Amino acid sequence: MKVLSNVQTPQQQAQNWLAQQGLPNTQLTPLSGYTNFVFLVEASKPPYRSVIRLANHSLAAGLCPLATHPAHSIKLHQQAEQLGLAPALLGLDEQVGIMWLADAGDRQALQTADFPAIRELLERLHDSGLDWSLPDGQAPDIASLNLLTGLSHAPHSPLVHAAKRLLQLATERDYAHLPLVPVHSDLNPGNWLQDGQRWWLIDWDYARLMVAEWDYASLIVEHGWDKDKAQLLAPRIALPDLAWFCAAFALLSWDWHVQRETDQAIKKQAIAAYWLALS
């Protein structure tokens, strides 16, 4: 796979690529991102504000989907854009792993007053019928039961007992046969943009076929909401089921952050314990 020069910084690489697209002399401001490089782009000509994402090829294989499967990640965003859920894609490079996005506003905290609009957005995605199969041909992990099984056998993991308990409950409740729908699956605060009129979603790299409950769990866990807010967001999901998915998401998120050595692992471990007690 073609990679960007290791001599240049990601910011320099982004500026050079944008210049090749006819947008020279840009000012780039880094935005948060665990798996890829993200910059706010400000220019003296249209588009005056935009966002560019670059794959991080220095991570281990599989840890940055935009680096491992760039064409697939870009296709996911394009299909979400067609549903009116994602900002327009202004330019791309499938070989390197670059996505240049239209400005869709700023990151803002979600409030309970936003919950009806959020549910409408998620239902539009879940009802879309998109076939978001995994790029490597693997069968979908309906409720992340395969990942939980792996974690339940992980040596020296402090969460083995929690993973085993979740698997037991999943068997009792038959989660393995829940219907599959396309989900975003990474609804952290940084992926919600507000342009003053509506919400947009970015970073579709982990989108796939799973159960609809997974998106609600992702949203709840990543925003650190308690059961009262969770039930306001997803009143149609019984609390024990919602708690199970929140606990499972938090547990797998803990493992995700441990692998990337971020500072969020301990927080996710505590969140998993909170929701497991309600499951």
Side-chain angles (χ1 to χ4, degrees):
M1 178 183 292
K2 176 184 174 184
V3 298
L4 295 171
S5 169
N6 292 326
V7 176
Q8 297 178 321
T9 66
Q11 185 165 336
Q12 291 170 331
Q13 294 163 357
Q15 287 176 320
N16 290 341
W17 188 87
L18 288 166
Q20 294 172 10
Q21 312 310 307
L23 199 68
N25 305 319
T26 54
Q27 178 179 334
L28 270 59
T29 303
L31 301 175
S32 61
Y34 284 117
T35 59
N36 49 73
F37 303 109
V38 187
F39 299 96
L40 170 66
V41 181
E42 297 178 284
S44 58
K45 56 181 285 189
Y48 297 108
R49 281 171 56 96
S50 56
V51 172
I52 189 167
R53 301 177 63 217
L54 290 81
N56 186 346
H57 294 278
S58 66
L59 294 177
L63 297 188
C64 177
L66 188 56
T68 309
H69 300 290
H72 180 74
S73 294
I74 291 169
K75 181 194 76 171
L76 292 171
H77 182 100
Q78 290 172 320
Q79 293 184 334
E81 178 189 342
Q82 292 170 3
L83 289 175
L85 304 179
L89 191 59
L90 302 177
L92 59 93
D93 188 324
E94 291 184 350
Q95 295 299 312
V96 175
I98 293 179
M99 300 175 63
W100 181 27
L101 308 176
D103 178 36
D106 300 313
R107 298 172 178 178
Q108 296 185 22
L110 297 174
Q111 307 296 329
T112 54
D114 300 312
F115 285 2
I118 293 170
R119 282 196 298 271
E120 188 279 329
L121 185 153
L122 293 179
E123 288 168 4
R124 193 189 320 165
L125 172 62
H126 299 158
D127 295 340
S128 66
L130 291 172
D131 180 14
W132 279 355
S133 303
L134 295 172
D136 52 13
Q138 291 183 356
D141 192 356
I142 296 177
S144 282
L145 301 183
N146 294 340
L147 290 174
L148 284 173
T149 299
L151 192 56
S152 71
H153 295 99
H156 312 302
S157 171
L159 300 182
V160 167
H161 175 74
K164 289 182 177 179
R165 176 56 180 160
L166 287 173
L167 287 169
Q168 177 187 352
L169 289 171
T171 300
E172 294 173 359
R173 300 174 186 175
D174 199 24
Y175 287 153
H177 294 97
L178 291 173
L180 289 170
V181 299
V183 301
H184 183 286
S185 84
D186 187 19
L187 299 175
N188 68 71
N191 288 338
W192 291 90
L193 301 179
Q194 169 62 254
D195 64 3
Q197 297 181 325
R198 54 156 296 173
W199 291 99
W200 298 93
L201 277 169
I202 58 171
D203 195 355
W204 294 82
D205 294 6
Y206 290 97
R208 62 195 63 204
L209 289 174
M210 287 188 68
V211 295
E213 288 85 348
W214 199 248
D215 264 344
Y216 289 101
S218 167
L219 184 57
I220 292 163
V221 169
E222 294 292 358
H223 286 76
W225 293 336
D226 61 14
K227 69 179 182 67
D228 295 328
K229 273 195 173 182
Q231 288 180 295
L232 283 176
L233 173 68
R236 297 180 183 177
I237 305 176
L239 179 58
D241 295 325
L242 187 59
W244 186 95
F245 281 96
C246 288
F249 185 93
L251 201 68
L252 295 173
S253 180
W254 167 86
D255 184 55
W256 191 97
H257 284 281
V258 166
Q259 290 186 51
R260 290 157 179 79
E261 300 180 346
T262 80
D263 59 356
Q264 293 292 308
I266 294 177
K267 178 180 178 181
K268 293 302 171 60
Q269 184 175 357
I271 293 174
Y274 170 81
W275 287 109
L276 183 60
L278 296 170
S279 299

